[in-house]
Amino acid sequence: AGLVVENESYFDTLRIRVPDAAAVHQRANERRINLRRIDAHTVGVTLDEAITREELALLVEVFGGDVAALDSLASVAAPSVSESTAVPEGLARQTAILSHPVFSRYHSETEMLRYITQLQNKDLSLANAMIPLGSCTMKLNATTELIPITWPEFGSIHPFAPREQTQGYAHMIDDLERDLAAITGMDATTVQPNSGAQGEYAGLRAIRAYQASQGESSRDICLVPESAHGTNPASAVMAGLSVVIVKCDAKGNLDLADLEAKAAKHSARLSAVMITYPSTFGVFEDGVVRAIEIIHQYGGQVYMDGANMNAQVGLTSPGHMGADVCHLNNHKTLAIPHGGGGPGVGPICVKAHLAPFLPGHPELTKADGSPQSTVGPVSAAPYGSAGVLPVTWSYIKLLGGRGMTQVSKTAILNANYMANRLRDHYSVLFTNENGMCAH
């Protein structure tokens, strides 16, 4: 087509200089192809190994080239990376690939099927047993919830697809964000964070951005109980805060006297406290509301870690207790499968004063084209791990409010059943005054 490819090296993505990018995009749209919009004279195109000759022919038409010459051009293309100039010499692989015997051992479909099934049988899943993953045991990953993520309408959508092509997806996400705000007693939600830890970071950034807008950038102290999950102090440090540890008493409860003493001592610089409720020690802390009042009294914000929301949903909420921001683990409390380390979704829910400081994204703009938020993104994609959000949406809609409340009650009952069955064999370190635990 006589156009200039701007890349000196490339793997799967090209920047192509064109006389009129708008005309190229129009021809692409007519052929149901999305190209990256860079500027008035540059477009981006990404290709992978799944592209067909028919699709290549359409691309050639889009760029005004000669489709008839496509096959002859393909025949002279470099047959391997080592012979191509696309990958710099220093980055080209020099060693053999797929050298492990497993890649050459199986020569029939039956052999391959038996090998894959053998691997599958080694996996621990709900088909064979309960999956014990710490204090935040997950809910049932029902087949009904999982089926929608196999639909191409959800699973094959590019994160940067044009808004007009993703209205149904956006409607589901908006609906889910409203539901999560209602569950947590908050006013606004973002599903952008990909994990609980990323949600912590995003929530603390929102607090810091809000405080900066109030002329309080000097607030840089975060109080963290010694019972906290290790990601709490790590997230605080990443958000530019200095961590001050708060003691717990012999029963595992937050030491309110120590909390108030440290809040008072650092009142001029107090940014936030991070509280997990019920606590990582497994108890509903009676003093949680008083702890929140203390932090607010000294000008700080309250971040509630939602790792153990299994014991809260439908019974109470972070917003009801007075927290300013919390995160959820959709991959724990809200049914997304998390075995093997992913995918995760760690939404944050905030009160109205923090809503303008939720993470933004270049793809998220208002009607006038201005950014939705002045705060930068925490994820490469505007809605994080959007492909698995239909699982949580379905879980919430199938159960409803009463169903989710019953699930929380059952989770607490099961935790106490297990604690009592094991009490004679293991030490149950922390319980409330009635000998009961929260999770």
Side-chain angles (χ1 to χ4, degrees):
L3 303 175
V4 175
V5 176
E6 295 186 343
N7 311 65
E8 292 185 6
S9 59
Y10 54 87
F11 177 65
D12 62 356
T13 301
L14 302 173
R15 288 172 60 103
I16 301 174
R17 192 77 176 168
V18 296
D20 183 357
V24 171
H25 286 299
Q26 181 177 342
R27 291 195 294 269
N29 288 338
E30 291 168 356
R31 292 160 177 79
R32 299 176 65 82
I33 294 173
N34 288 327
L35 300 176
R36 183 183 172 200
R37 299 177 183 272
I38 297 177
D39 58 39
H41 298 287
T42 315
V43 299
V45 58
T46 297
L47 312 172
D48 64 16
E49 65 277 10
I51 193 167
T52 64
R53 186 196 180 283
E54 290 73 18
E55 290 168 332
L56 277 176
L58 291 175
L59 273 175
V60 171
E61 291 177 358
V62 166
F63 287 106
D66 181 7
V67 176
L70 180 59
D71 290 329
S72 61
L73 286 171
S75 67
V76 298
S80 67
V81 171
S82 61
E83 298 175 62
S84 171
T85 58
V87 178
E89 185 176 346
L91 297 179
R93 186 187 183 115
Q94 305 298 322
T95 56
I97 65 170
L98 305 181
S99 58
H100 191 281
V102 74
F103 294 112
S104 57
R105 181 178 295 155
Y106 307 105
H107 300 281
S108 72
E109 179 181 348
T110 303
E111 288 177 320
M112 179 60 74
L113 175 65
R114 288 172 177 170
Y115 172 65
I116 292 173
T117 302
Q118 185 182 53
L119 293 179
Q120 177 184 318
N121 289 340
K122 293 179 179 179
D123 184 33
L124 178 67
S125 75
L126 287 171
N128 348 76
M130 185 190 82
I131 307 174
L133 286 180
S135 62
C136 30
T137 306
M138 300 179 295
K139 300 298 185 289
L140 173 65
N141 310 128
T143 303
T144 303
E145 300 157 11
L146 296 174
I147 287 175
I149 69 175
T150 68
W151 298 341
E153 292 84 356
F154 289 117
S156 298
I157 300 295
H158 194 282
F160 301 156
R163 286 280 188 86
E164 61 270 17
Q165 296 177 16
T166 59
Q167 292 181 19
Y169 217 142
H171 177 81
M172 182 205 69
I173 291 172
D174 289 343
D175 193 29
L176 176 58
E177 289 182 339
R178 285 192 295 270
D179 284 348
L180 297 181
I183 288 169
T184 57
M186 297 293 185
D187 301 309
T189 303
T190 177
V191 295
Q192 190 181 114
N194 283 305
S195 71
Q198 204 172 59
E200 294 172 15
Y201 174 65
L204 292 173
R205 282 206 322 169
I207 289 174
R208 298 219 69 193
Y210 165 72
Q211 290 170 337
S213 75
Q214 303 298 303
E216 296 183 324
S217 299
S218 59
R219 291 190 175 275
D220 62 352
I221 295 289
C222 183
L223 303 182
V224 178
E226 60 184 6
S227 62
H229 190 285
T231 57
N232 283 186
S235 297
V237 171
M238 287 185 64
L241 296 165
S242 297
V243 174
V244 174
I245 301 299
V246 178
K247 297 176 184 177
C248 291
D249 62 25
K251 295 183 178 180
N253 294 304
L254 189 62
D255 187 326
L256 293 179
D258 190 53
L259 175 73
E260 182 155 21
K262 286 171 179 172
K265 177 181 177 180
H266 300 288
S267 59
R269 295 174 55 196
L270 179 61
S271 176
V273 68
M274 301 184 80
I275 298 175
T276 303
Y277 186 82
S279 75
T280 306
F281 285 164
V283 294
F284 284 111
E285 300 195 34
D286 294 337
V288 64
V289 173
R290 176 58 189 147
I292 292 170
E293 291 172 350
I294 290 170
I295 298 304
H296 285 159
Q297 176 186 339
Y298 289 100
Q301 298 283 296
V302 176
Y303 180 97
M304 185 165 284
D305 187 311
N308 303 322
M309 277 292 293
N310 279 356
Q312 277 199 54
V313 176
L315 302 175
T316 184
S317 71
H320 173 72
M321 287 179 269
D324 300 289
V325 54
C326 71
H327 87 264
L328 293 165
N329 294 89
N330 284 15
H331 46 282
K332 295 172 183 174
T333 304
L334 296 166
I336 290 175
H338 196 44
V345 181
I348 57 169
C349 307
V350 298
K351 288 295 180 69
H353 65 284
L354 294 180
F357 308 101
L358 290 173
H361 193 280
E363 294 291 320
L364 299 178
T365 57
K366 299 177 182 176
D368 62 1
S370 61
Q372 280 190 3
S373 173
T374 57
V375 178
V378 295
S379 172
Y383 298 108
S385 302
V388 291
L389 292 178
V391 179
T392 293
W393 185 90
S394 302
Y395 176 80
I396 292 172
K397 299 304 182 186
L398 287 167
L399 281 171
R402 283 182 294 181
M404 294 186 75
T405 302
Q406 185 59 41
V407 167
S408 296
K409 292 177 178 178
T410 304
I412 297 170
L413 179 63
N414 286 343
N416 282 281
Y417 169 77
M418 291 299 296
N420 278 279
R421 285 294 301 270
L422 297 172
R423 196 177 299 276
D424 294 337
H425 309 283
Y426 296 91
S427 297
V428 179
L429 296 179
F430 300 107
T431 61
N432 67 7
E433 58 187 16
N434 297 317
M436 306 294 278
C437 65
H439 63 85

